Amino acid sequence: MTDSRGSGIAMGGTSSSSQRRQAQIRWESFFLSFLILLFAAVSIGWFYLKAYEAVLASERKDLERLAQAAATVIDPQRHALLRSPEQTGSDLHHELLEPLVRFHQQFPSLEYVYTAIRQDHTIFFVLDTRSTDVFGTIGERDLLEDGSLFVVYENPSPTLHQAFSRQHVASEPELHDDEYGTFLSAYAPLRDQDGIFHGIVGVDINDRELKTRLAHVRRAGIAGFALALTFALVVAIGHTLFRHQQISSQLLLRERQEQLSKSEHLLKQTQQLGRITTWSIHLETLELRLDEFHLSLMGYPDTSQQRLITTLPAYSEGYVHPDDIPLLQQRLQYARENRTNDTYQDAFEYRFLRPDGSHGYFSVVAGRLRFREADGSMSASSNIVVGLAQDISERKSAEQALMHLNEELENRIASAVEAVREKERLLLYQSRLATMGEMVANIAHQWRQPLTAVSLHIQDLQMEAESAGSVDNATVQEAIIPSLEQIRFMSRTIDDFSNFFKPDKDKVFFSLREAVEETLFLLSPGLRSHNIEVHLEGQDDTILGYLNEFSQVIMNILNNARDALISRGVERPFIDIRLFHVDNRPVITIADNAGGIREHLVHHIFEPYFTTKSTSSGTGLGLYMSKVIIEESMGGKLGVRNTEVGAEFRIEL
């Protein structure tokens, strides 16, 4: 019972003390805010007064300078010639008024710009920029009704009289009122070149202009007061928060201790989930400190909850793969060499031994131990290195499996590529065989006429022998010589066709035009027999490539054009071959007038085994192999389009 009452009294006392502290905090905050606001009000009032005086003084100086500038545009001696109101509107009046109006127009903020004289203590206006509309109005202001000279100034200020008396520059100390309004004015003496005084030049600004400029000062004062009020509120709130912080410091300390405990628990859980351990080593004594998770990650029984302390040699002999011990010694030497390097960092991997004799992998990052000095700066120890070690055994196993998979995949890809290449070689071989069939027909055309000629020569010899009983030497020579020419022509034909089908091993430099002409020579019998005209024009080029394969492409395209012209029975068949340049690249176009390719078939003609001919007339490999040769072997482009009369194949090299 006694303990309970004591506890209750203590709790009541604590609550009362807390309330008193809260009240004290509120009064302190209010008093500080009041002092700040009072100081701000006095300071801003003084500032406004001084600013008003400064603005007024600045305006007076500006008006005095404007009055002096206005005096320079008036000719004092000619101004003295204006002597009576009857001169109003005269040429002299306008001549003297014009420069003054121009000056006023340059400074539209001025209300009045005028000249005045004094006679018998009476001041008369002589020139006034707002007294006539001959030169236009000043800004948007109205003209005065009375435009005559020598208008009496009814209520001149004492400052104006002093300006006449002392004959020097003067300005009104404050705004003054007269029959024309409320103004701030400045005056400058009007003197001729001999220094003789002839009158006063005056400039005025109205009270609205001055008040407009003073409004900026008022806004600055209001802004300053608002800033002071904000500052007072910030101080009051800051003081309140600071005092609350002091009162609740013990509670916050307990909360932080609990948070620290939770953070340590979270850190341990994070280490377990990430399979990460911490360590440190002394570079001189080789003392190695490990956390309690280190050995458990390696598969060893949990020895204790205390931090494990050992030495690097003992750890290496018992827990490190023998092949990686030199690596640890090398990294230790590297750390010693960089003990004075503030940017020292290191990262490496090593294998650790498990109790069952297998091994795993640790990924290690290391750096120098850093601690905060009394002045707040950070320093690094030259003898202690700290770091993290993460168990990456599973990742290593996955990497090795992926490596094996990549090797297997590369082998499969290589086999597939080789199979594709073998297929292309077979297709090229089939294409060559198909082309050879075409060539056999061409050889037959090439040989038919020479064989006929040789046969006729032999028959002539036979008939001569039968009729005369013998043949003289001249007759034999007459028959042998042309026969030998025909046989040599046939032999050349065999050489040409054999060279055409000889496989290319290396790239060579060759003439495009000569390659086209050689191909046309081989195909000429079949083209002539169907009355197909061939036109070849354009500039020649020498390129590096595979001559026979390029010739095969030209032959495939020409054969297709020939077959289309024959099958469609074109009345005047022709093939146009052009050689030219586009962007410094050689281009060859082969066009015919066979009517073109059907639109739905254009995108398929370069596919393997696609043909528009009957199966007995085509294999569908010619254009496919032509595209492979041009684009893969020679790095060019092969395309086709329909023209108005037929198809056009385009080769870019």
Side-chain angles (χ1 to χ4, degrees), residues 148-359:
S148 62
L149 296 171
F150 295 96
V151 177
V152 177
Y153 192 1
E154 299 291 345
N155 297 308
S157 67
T159 305
L160 181 57
H161 281 289
Q162 291 176 4
F164 274 102
S165 300
R166 298 178 181 177
Q167 299 180 5
H168 62 60
V169 178
S171 59
E172 299 291 345
E174 296 285 349
L175 291 168
H176 70 93
D177 298 324
D178 58 18
E179 62 268 32
Y180 300 106
T182 302
F183 305 101
L184 184 66
S185 306
Y187 316 103
L190 187 62
R191 300 179 187 273
D192 61 18
Q193 59 184 2
D194 297 326
I196 299 174
F197 178 76
H198 290 278
I200 289 293
V201 176
V203 294
D204 299 342
I205 61 170
N206 58 36
D207 58 338
R208 294 189 303 276
E209 286 286 340
L210 186 59
K211 290 177 181 178
T212 298
R213 299 175 189 185
L214 288 174
H216 298 293
V217 178
R218 287 196 299 273
R219 284 195 291 271
I222 293 172
F225 184 77
L227 182 62
L229 179 60
T230 303
F231 179 71
L233 291 175
V234 170
V235 170
I237 295 172
H239 177 74
T240 302
L241 294 175
F242 175 73
R243 294 290 289 157
H244 277 297
Q245 184 75 11
Q246 285 183 324
I247 293 173
S248 59
S249 59
Q250 292 181 349
L251 178 61
L252 290 176
L253 180 60
R254 288 195 296 268
E255 290 179 354
R256 290 176 179 175
Q257 288 176 342
E258 292 177 358
Q259 291 176 356
L260 180 60
S261 177
K262 292 179 180 178
S263 298
E264 289 180 350
H265 181 66
L266 178 62
L267 178 60
K268 291 180 179 179
Q269 288 186 333
T270 304
Q271 284 185 263
Q272 291 177 344
L273 291 174
R275 302 185 66 79
I276 299 173
T277 71
T278 60
W279 56 269
S280 66
I281 185 171
H282 194 284
L283 298 180
E284 296 300 329
T285 63
L286 299 184
E287 182 182 276
L288 180 65
R289 292 176 176 263
L290 307 173
D291 64 18
E292 61 270 21
F293 299 115
H294 195 89
L295 292 181
S296 61
L297 281 182
M298 298 167 65
Y300 293 91
D302 187 10
T303 55
S304 67
Q305 295 300 318
Q306 300 295 323
R307 189 177 295 271
L308 177 64
I309 301 176
T310 182
T311 61
L312 182 61
Y315 175 80
S316 299
E317 292 178 2
Y319 302 105
V320 179
H321 194 285
D323 294 341
D324 289 346
I325 293 178
L327 173 63
L328 294 185
Q329 295 173 346
Q330 179 185 6
R331 304 328 298 167
L332 175 64
Q333 182 62 30
Y334 177 71
R336 287 174 172 171
E337 293 173 354
N338 288 271
R339 65 173 63 202
T340 59
N341 183 3
D342 289 340
T343 61
Y344 159 74
Q345 286 185 347
D346 198 5
F348 57 93
E349 297 175 0
Y350 72 91
R351 289 169 289 181
F352 62 84
L353 297 177
R354 295 192 178 100
D356 59 2
S358 62
H359 67 268

